[in-house]
Amino acid sequence: MMPADSYKSVLNCQRTRFACTVALIKACLLVICVAFFYDVDAKPIKKVVKVIDGDTVVLNDGRTVRLLSINTPEMAGKGRLAEPGARLAKRKLTDQLLNQRVYLEYDVEKKDKYGRTLAFVFLLNGVHVNAMMLQEGLAVLSVHPPNLKHLSSLTRAQKNAEAAGIGLWGMADYQPNAVSTLGTKAKGHWQRISGTIQEIELFKSGAKLWLAPSTYIWVYRSNIKYFPALEHYQGKDIEVRTWVKKRQNVWSLLVRHPSQLIVKP
């Protein structure tokens, strides 16, 4: 028979081993949990639970995320039809992101005026989803200063799609139109308008670059610093990429960044 002291010693040793085993299991579980919610660079990992359209998703934490620096055609809603290419863009984003784990990268502005989170979205394999949508021709560049991250790669992705004539770039609705064709009613979607800068007017709040007596490009004063000297555009043939609005019986084309003004050779 084992002496009482020896028995107690063995029992204490077994208890110590058991406690160490439990502690090790807990540590392993903790590591697994951390690995599930964070990537190797300690970026918070989220899951996409809903795709609203080609540039907006909902995460499992309840946040609505608007993909930064791109724009896709609008889906149907509020009495309007879906814009050309809207369903294609949503389908692509759904295929890529729905129920997928992603991480976000932010720029200067974290929220837009609607309360949506502004972010660049990445899959865990490193694919930059914003750039992918441009590369596929299903989105267009839409830069809102001061958010200028990834501008070079995003611009390159759009140029590739445009050169290949794929996606929106191959659709009749998104081909360049002369400023003279605006008429009395403009299309509601993003457009490409061609013309020559006839005159430049500077105001306290911004600048007007006139394409025609009834059409001007508007640049807010706060955004002028992102452009070359505006005189650079005088007399140049350009293509404006934006939305067209009616302002006091003339057409106004809002431009926030030089990427929206393409100077023709």
Side-chain angles (χ1 to χ4, degrees), residues 43-55:
K43 296 184 179 73
I45 302 301
K46 301 297 178 182
K47 183 178 180 181
V48 175
V49 297
K50 183 178 181 180
V51 176
I52 295 176
D53 56 26
D55 54 35

Side-chain angles (χ1 to χ4, degrees), residues 109-147:
E109 297 175 326
K110 304 298 190 300
K111 299 273 189 179
D112 66 9
K113 63 182 180 180
Y114 305 108
R116 300 177 298 186
T117 297
L118 298 172
F120 301 101
V121 179
F122 292 83
L123 292 169
L124 299 194
N125 61 6
V127 170
H128 184 182
V129 178
N130 306 47
M132 178 205 69
M133 293 297 288
L134 292 171
Q135 186 75 34
E136 297 280 339
L138 299 176
V140 294
L141 195 62
S142 183
V143 180
H144 288 236
N147 305 303

Side-chain angles (χ1 to χ4, degrees), residues 2 16 21 24 34 38 65 69 112 118 146-147 153 165 174 187 201 205 212 243 258:
M2 182 182 295
T16 300
T21 302
L24 181 60
V34 170
Y38 291 82
V65 176
S69 297
D112 66 9
L118 298 172
N147 305 303
S153 59
Y174 299 108
K187 300 174 183 177
E201 289 186 290
S205 56
W243 291 260

